[in-house]
């Protein structure tokens, strides 16, 4: 993955928050909370997973395909940036 | 939530598997696995979350709205069963 | 489907707007618009489809399962209303 | 968009099929078909939209970012190919 330390720690922080949210679902089930409350907790995990997915895709694009910020070929840079916009639209 | 013990333990088993999958994502990030591998792990967590969501919705329908298996009003029973089919189609 | 005339005409208006959006995608492809523009048009069709799906599910719940507004059994009414909230969260 | 004639006609054929599916939803509503049948028709339109989205993203990647089949930089080619695999997983 050879990404920057900063990116790695940011991704790890995101995943740990998601683990915390999944543990909250577990506690809610154990405590027999109402289905609707449990379902809303699960929906928030899904939202967090989408956010993690978009960040991973952006990192992958930058490190292994084209980095819109540093790519000398301006058409490629624009194409990569447009693709990331589309992916955010679909996964938000 | 007042669901059966069997349902509760089945849901808890699902959530614990999902926690295990999230921990696998965490380990993959710590070990700096390739982005594509991490993204495929994340995709499998999303799939498991969808499965959990459908099961929670089914339990909620059965316990708090209409149980297609026991509902005396046959039109309601059919309506509830059709709704669950649609939800499975959309969340699979 | 035996829904009210009002619901039927509202649903038809929605579907006709979606057809118009799909025709806009078709024109954009014929005119060789940029991929990113076409993709954003397609994203708006998906959004409109999600809106149509939620409205159809709500109508189905009201007419064929439980109508939260008129159901005498208050626990069922609440259960149905909670389920619709969850479905909106997942399909918005 | 400046894509090949072949790609353009394939995309147009897809969009016209989707328009036909939306028109089928419209006819089903006019004929007051059952909600569940209409919802299943709508689900098939969503599936077709996902297929169109993936094809547009692939064309965009190939023409405006990196074409895995012709890219001389093998790491970039692999990165682009992996990204397309991930996108297919998420949008199938």
């Amino acid at each position: 993955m050879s990404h920057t330390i900063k990116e790695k720690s940011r991704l790890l922080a995101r995943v740990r928050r998601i683990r915390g949210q999944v543990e909250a679902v577990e506690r809610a089930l154990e405590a027999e909370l109402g289905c609707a409350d449990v379902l809303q907790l699960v929906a928030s995990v899904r939202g967090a997973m989408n956010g993690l997915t978009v960040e991973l895709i952006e990192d992958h694009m930058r490190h292994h395909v084209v980095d819109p910020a540093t790519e000398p070929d301006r058409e490629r840079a624009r194409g990569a940036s447009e693709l990331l916009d589309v992916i955010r639209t679909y996964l938000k």
Side-chain angles (χ1 to χ4, degrees), chain A residues 48-86:
Chain A
M49 290 299 297
N50 285 345
L52 173 64
T53 304
V54 169
E55 189 166 339
L56 282 166
I57 287 177
E58 285 185 24
D59 286 356
H60 179 82
M61 173 72 93
R62 239 180 259 116
H63 287 277
H64 304 296
V65 188
V66 164
D67 184 347
T70 60
E71 172 63 40
D73 177 330
R74 297 320 301 158
E75 209 222 318
R76 277 194 173 193
R78 197 162 63 90
S81 169
E82 284 172 348
L83 187 52
L84 290 176
D85 287 344
V86 166

Side-chain angles (χ1 to χ4, degrees), chain A residues 2-77:
Chain A
S2 68
H3 293 203
T4 66
I5 304 293
K6 213 181 97 197
E7 276 160 5
K8 181 177 166 180
S9 45
R10 203 178 50 211
L11 286 169
L12 276 170
R14 258 196 201 267
V15 173
R16 285 172 186 144
R17 276 198 303 273
I18 290 172
R19 178 155 53 85
Q21 288 176 290
V22 173
E23 284 160 358
V25 173
E26 199 173 340
R27 287 193 301 274
L29 285 171
E30 278 160 349
E32 301 192 8
L33 237 68
C35 300
D37 298 324
V38 177
L39 277 160
Q40 293 300 353
L41 285 173
V42 169
S44 66
V45 177
R46 277 169 58 112
M49 290 299 297
N50 285 345
L52 173 64
T53 304
V54 169
E55 189 166 339
L56 282 166
I57 287 177
E58 285 185 24
D59 286 356
H60 179 82
M61 173 72 93
R62 239 180 259 116
H63 287 277
H64 304 296
V65 188
V66 164
D67 184 347
T70 60
E71 172 63 40
D73 177 330
R74 297 320 301 158
E75 209 222 318
R76 277 194 173 193

